[in-house]
Amino acid sequence: MTIVPGKYVITGVQHGRSHLLMIVATCLVATSFPVAAAITNWMDSLVLIFLRFALASILFMPIVACRYGIILPTYRDLIRYGILSACLVGFFWAMFSALRLTSALNTAAIFALTPAITAIVSGILSKEKLNRASQIALPIGVLGAVWVTFRGDLTALLSLSFGMGDVIFFAGTIAMGCYGALVKYLHRGEPMAQMTFWTLVTGAFWLLILAAPRFPTIVWTEVPMTVYGGIAYLSVFTTLVTFFLFQWSATVIGPTKVMSYTYLNPFLVILFGIALGHELPPAAILPGLLFTFAATCVLQRFTPVYLSPDRKA
């Protein structure tokens, strides 16, 4: 049994379950890339993200209502949920805006910084202190993820140049890193299903403001049913399920451990690509894979030290 900052008591079973669920969530996130790529040209990106959040909220509502009841959040609770969802929406908005100005390789390389950003923000907010091995593992994980992203092509990596699109996506990556740390910091003991539900609802609200002007440009009847099926898959599995798993696990094993699973995304994307019939990646990616696996394992083994257990309500 482990006692963590505040009033939460976490068992070893919960720790083990969290790691298993994070593996599932990371695999689901990896499947979102080919699905999103297959449907993104049929609909404006902001509208697509809004539909993901809105549909996930609608589908999750009866589950929350039956188990806990729909309890309207207080003003202060709404601020907490709004902050979390603003981080997510900011990341998605930055991602699609950046991809108009930069390459997917650049964004993938920048996204590898997410666990390090989460660790820094967690250190500031929750006073989570990493041990020496974990401090070394974070940059090694970044190096491994970038190596896999560029398929071991050192020439392509060295020729990498950054512009305004990369600055925009880096801001979005900071937002995602903050989200991981803020989930634990802003959790006040309510059922995680409620926190996930209101995060989705407030996220749909932010996205409605951004996407509403683009609704008239879409001819809904001409959108293929396969696109709506893709939206349903993204809404249920890579939005609703993954958000719940990420948020619940962050309160159990800590945000740095949760976000470290991000290092496995390039490998999983390649793995799912092979399953879909894509060509095998070059053997040059093997060092990168070893780095990412080693970094993830080290970060999962460290026990976070909290310098101060006090948090404001």
Side-chain angles (χ1 to χ4, degrees), residues 39 69 145 151 226 249 305-306:
I39 67 176
R151 302 295 183 101
T226 52
S249 297
V305 176
Y306 295 91

Side-chain angles (χ1 to χ4, degrees), residues 174-196:
I174 293 175
M176 178 57 76
C178 290
Y179 165 76
L182 284 168
V183 167
K184 184 177 182 66
Y185 183 75
L186 295 177
H187 185 232
R188 295 297 180 265
E190 70 268 45
M192 190 50 64
Q194 287 186 344
M195 189 178 196
T196 302

